Every structure is written in structure tokens, then in C-alpha cells.
């Protein structure tokens, strides 16, 4: 399947190569790889709050028989004696759903498409094997858009749209538990499944397949969607060895409670900023968005988005807020109250600030219903904007695992009331 595998068992050789891990202990069993698990593929990654490096990457690795704990991995280009480049030594970090899993990554380089050498070490053990070629992975895979969550409770439905003409050979859904961080600093995966490549939604099961436990109410999770092209366009069976190229996107969420809208669009979270990619917004629907203890929020449209036309703020604290913005009337600072639909001037505004949230409101950053804000837009279009919390430290509040959580939902307007509608996917 791959080129010849090399083993060395001499401690001195491992020391000379600088490959011994921090434990330095010899493994009771020599390193052996699970059949048909060696992988190398282009991995185009979006921003995340789970510890996965964003950017255009090459991921490589394999599954280690008996578990990958205590093992290390390095990639060397190209395979063979002419070594032009090597990655840093990475820590293998098993997953709840895959205890044998071991991987590393490096920046994608179009000049490094030929097969690589993958070097695994654990104690005195060393194993080298050749990874597959990256030929055919010259183009990046697009990210899904309009990712949303529907349904209260612990079995919500996640929906998405696949942009453009890209037709994936496979589609993988992972759930990260951000309260459980692995040895390499990345959150643990507690659920992983390959679904039909043409699917536009997935309902989470009652029990996660990694730990046979349900999600926690108020838990802190991220859903990972992967659009995959396989080698030879074969049917994807959730095996990394099949992947030639993929996109890898991450959307923070918490299980919802109470009476909540359908299709609450999920953001990516990076550096405390909530980033949206919603394909369709407009003046005839109200768009709800939420998120340390926050005393206010800055809202902004993305490049090319329609301006905000109006805003409705939720019943939080005393329900009194200050709204700051600039529109056709110049710089404005107005008092607004909960439930009031405030309309900006003609043409709307591209940015505004909400302040005046009391610290004793104690907004939970992991609760997607903590500060749901209603928005309309001056015309139809997409929303790729951001919401950034203005935070204030409160000593009594435990530091959250993530900076905040933002959710966006679409609810139609009818007469004087808000009527739910499900957005087509």
C-alpha cells in the first residue's frame, strides 16, 4: 500500500536523531500502524475556538495499534534520502472517538506534493513510513455557509449549505467538547460520523458515540463540518486515509432551552470575535444574534453586506440600554428599552454599539440564549459581519472556557408580531 516501513529499536539511534519524547521510557510494544490508516491531505481550516490552527494546512498521520498515547510524529519532505524539509516534532493525542489517532500538520506548499516520510517515535521505538502523494489537491475546498442549529434540548439539528458547484465525495460531522482539552492543546472529539455527501442537515444523537453520554445542558461545544474530496472519488467511510483534500470549519454552540427560534445561525469564534457567514438576510425578516461578563457589544456588517435597518434588544437586567451609531443624521446616542424595535435613519448603519448591560446580569457566555439581539437589514443580501463583546472582569464570575458564544436566527415578520419561518437549505 505504501513504501517500505523501517523500524529501529536502539535507544542510541533515537537519541542521536533527537527523537526521544519527554517521557524517555521504552514502550512495552513496538510501534505498529493500523492497516489502511496512513494519511496525508490538504486541510483548509477555518477559525476555531478548539485549538486547531487555522489556515491552509497539510495534515498527516496514521492510527497506532494499541493507542497513540506517548507517541510523537514528524513529517519529512520528500520521502527517501533527499530531505529538503521537516516539520517540528508533534505530540500524538488520542481522541475519545479514536484512541489510536495520531496526526500532525504543516503549512500547505504547492511545491511539496510528492510523497513524504512520516516518522513515528515512542520511547526507544522508531518507525518510518511513506505518506501518499498530494497531487490533485492543488485547489482548496470551499467552506459551508449558513450553518444553523434548530430545536431545544440535547438532540438539536444542524443545517448548512454547500456553496457554488463543489460536490463533496464525503461529509463528516464532529462534535468537540471544549471542557476536555487533550495533550496537544486541542479540545476532545466526542462524536464523529460520516454522512451522505449531499446531506444538508444532521440531527445529533441522544448519546455521543465517543463516551456513550448525552450533551450537557449549558455545555460548551463546537460542531466541526468537513467537506471532503476522496482519492479516486470513492465513497467516504470516515477513514482519513481516503481523503485527498477537505475544508474544515468550526461553529460554536450550546444546547438550547425554552422557546427558541428555528435556524439559529452559528458563528465561528476567534480571538473573542464572532464571525458570520449567512447566505440570505433582508428587510422582511428579523435576524437574531447573541453571545466573560459582557457590558455591551459592538456590531458590524462585513464587506458588501447590506446595512442594519433596525435592532431589537432582549429583556436583560433592567432592560434599559444605550445605542450608539452613525447614520444620515450623524453621530447618535439614544436610549432604548427591551423589546423596542429601533429603526436607524434612512439607509441604515454599518455599525453600532449597545452598552448599559449591568455586570450583575451575569450573562453566561456559553448560553446561546443569553443576549439574543434582533436585526433587520435595509435590503436582501448576505450577512458576513461580526459581533464583539465589550467585557468587564467580575471577580465572582469563573473564567469561561471560551470568550463568548454568538448565535443568529431568522424569524419572519408578520403584521405586528414575529412569525417563525424555516429558512430553506
Amino acid at each position: 500500500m505504501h513504501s517500505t516501513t523501517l523500524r529501529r529499536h536502539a535507544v542510541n539511534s533515537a537519541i542521536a536523531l533527537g527523537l526521544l519524547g519527554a517521557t524517555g521510557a521504552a514502550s512495552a510494544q513496538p510501534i505498529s500502524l493500523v492497516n489502511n490508516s496512513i494519511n496525508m491531505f490538504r486541510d483548509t481550516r477555518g477559525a476555531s475556538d478548539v485549538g486547531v490552527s487555522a489556515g491552509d494546512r497539510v495534515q498527516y498521520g496514521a492510527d497506532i495499534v494499541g493507542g497513540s498515547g506517548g507517541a510523537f510524529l514528524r513529517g519529512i519532505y520528500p520521502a527517501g534520502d533527499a530531505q529538503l524539509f521537516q516539520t517540528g516534532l508533534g505530540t500524538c493525542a488520542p481522541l475519545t472517538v479514536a484512541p489510536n489517532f495520531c496526526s500532525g500538520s504543516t503549512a500547505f506548499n504547492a511545491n511539496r506534493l510528492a510523497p513524504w516520510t512520516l516518522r513515528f517515535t515512542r520511547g526507544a521505538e522508531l518507525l518510518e513510513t511513506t505518506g501518499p502523494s498530494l497531487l490533485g489537491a492543488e485547489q482548496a475546498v470551499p467552506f459551508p455557509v449558513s450553518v444553523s442549529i434548530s430545536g431545544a434540548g440535547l438532540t438539536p439539528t444542524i443545517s448548512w449549505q454547500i456553496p457554488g458547484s463543489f460536490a463533496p465525495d464525503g461529509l463528516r460531522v464532529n462534535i468537540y467538547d471544549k471542557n476536555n482539552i487533550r495533550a496537544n492543546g486541542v479540545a476532545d472529539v466526542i462524536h464523529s460520523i460520516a454522512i451522505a455527501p449531499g446531506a444538508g442537515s444532521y440531527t445529533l444523537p441522544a448519546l455521543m458515540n465517543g463516551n456513550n453520554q448525552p450533551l450537557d445542558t449549558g455545555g460548551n461545544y463546537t460542531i466541526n463540518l468537513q467537506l471532503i474530496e476522496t482519492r479516486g472519488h470513492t465513497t467516504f467511510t470516515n477513514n482519513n486515509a481516503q481523503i485527498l483534500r477537505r475544508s474544515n470549519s468550526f461553529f460554536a454552540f450550546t444546547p438550547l432551552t425554552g422557546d427558541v427560534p428555528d435556524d439559529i445561525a452559528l458563528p465561528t469564534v476567534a480571538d473573542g470575535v464572532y464571525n458570520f457567514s449567512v447566505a440570505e438576510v433582508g428587510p422582511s425578516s428579523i435576524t437574531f444574534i447573541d453571545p466573560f461578563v459582557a457590558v455591551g457589544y459592538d456590531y458590524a456588517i462585513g464587506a458588501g453586506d447590506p446595512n442594519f435597518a433596525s435592532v431589537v434588544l432582549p429583556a436583560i437586567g433592567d432592560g434599559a440600554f444605550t445605542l450608539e451609531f452613525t447614520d444620515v443624521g450623524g453621530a447618535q446616542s439614544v436610549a432604548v428599552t427591551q423589546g423596542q424595535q429601533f429603526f436607524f435613519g434612512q439607509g441604515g448603519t454599518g455599525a453600532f454599539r449597545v452598552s448599559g448591560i449591568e455586570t450583575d446580569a451575569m450573562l453566561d457566555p456559553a448560553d446561546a440564549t443569553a443576549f439574543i439581539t434582533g436585526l433587520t437589514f435595509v435590503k436582501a443580501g448576505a450577512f458576513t459581519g461580526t459581533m464583539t463583546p465589550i467585557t468587564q472582569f467580575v471577580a465572582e464570575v469563573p473564567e469561561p472556557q471560551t470568550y463568548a458564544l454568538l448565535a443568529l436566527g431568522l424569524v419572519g415578520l408578520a403584521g405586528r408580531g414575529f412569525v417563525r419561518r424555516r429558512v430553506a437549505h
Side-chain angles (χ1 to χ4, degrees), residues 225-236:
L225 296 177
Q226 300 177 11
L227 305 184
I228 295 167
E229 180 182 310
T230 59
R231 297 177 180 275
H233 298 287
T234 58
T235 301
F236 183 60

Side-chain angles (χ1 to χ4, degrees), residues 15 50 98 137 156 161 171 178 232 269 274 281 306 321 329 345 396 402:
I15 294 173
V50 298
Q161 296 176 13
L171 208 159
K178 289 178 285 191
V269 180
Y274 303 87
V281 297
F321 310 97
E396 291 80 9
T402 58

Side-chain angles (χ1 to χ4, degrees), residues 245-263:
R245 58 183 184 129
R246 76 179 182 191
S247 67
N248 211 347
S249 50
F250 304 84
F251 303 88
F253 80 99
T254 190
L256 305 175
T257 59
D259 187 16
V260 297
D262 289 338
D263 297 301

Side-chain angles (χ1 to χ4, degrees), residues 39-41 58 60 75-80 82 84-85 108-118 129-138 231 244:
N39 61 84
M40 175 166 277
F41 50 87
V58 171
Y60 51 87
I76 302 169
Y77 183 83
L84 304 178
F85 171 81
F108 175 78
N109 186 321
N111 295 318
R112 297 174 185 157
L113 302 180
W116 293 51
T117 291
L118 306 184
T129 190
T130 301
S133 167
L134 291 171
L135 290 173
E138 289 81 358
R231 297 177 180 275
L244 176 63

Side-chain angles (χ1 to χ4, degrees), residues 2 70 73-74 94 122 133-134 140 153 162 168 177 192 197 247 272 283 285 366 368 383 398 407:
H2 296 280
L73 172 61
R74 188 190 302 271
R122 181 166 55 195
S133 167
L134 291 171
I162 298 173
D177 180 358
S192 181
S247 67
S285 62
F383 179 49

Side-chain angles (χ1 to χ4, degrees), residues 60 318 363:
Y60 51 87
D318 64 4
L363 297 185

Side-chain angles (χ1 to χ4, degrees), residues 131-157:
S133 167
L134 291 171
L135 290 173
E138 289 81 358
Q139 299 296 318
V141 173
F143 295 113
V145 297
S146 298
V147 178
S148 66
I149 185 171
S150 295
L154 302 181
T155 59
T157 296

